Amino acid sequence: MYLRPEVDLDGTAALNVTRAISSCVYELNQATTSSGICTTVADLGAQDSYLWYDELHPRAQADRIVAKKIAALVGGGKSRWAERLA
């Protein structure tokens, strides 16, 4: 997904694997009670162009893609990333 986002992401905006839909920026030594400066991609169609929801969590679409590939492997399919043990 990271190296070839055009295969898995299908948003209306430019594909983005490095930034998040929802992100917050904090000043150095800023109090942890501060909310920081937060931004969110409002266009729902553009959100499908992003791999990450926030700085820590991938989007649900990424989870579905990983689950689909694991299910295919368990069902007897092939993968260059994993090997099914009998």
Side-chain angles (χ1 to χ4, degrees), residues 21-83:
I21 291 172
S22 177
S23 63
C24 295
V25 176
Y26 299 91
E27 294 292 328
L28 183 63
N29 298 322
Q30 186 173 358
T32 56
T33 56
S34 173
S35 62
I37 300 170
C38 299
T39 59
T40 301
V41 175
D43 180 7
L44 295 178
Q47 288 184 3
D48 285 340
S49 300
Y50 286 76
L51 178 60
W52 297 97
Y53 174 73
D54 60 21
E55 292 89 345
L56 183 60
H57 301 97
R59 288 192 50 249
Q61 181 180 6
D63 293 339
R64 286 191 299 272
I65 293 165
V66 170
K68 185 185 207 182
K69 292 184 186 281
I70 290 172
L73 182 64
V74 170
K78 302 270 186 213
S79 171
R80 72 183 240 195
W81 308 110
E83 181 177 336

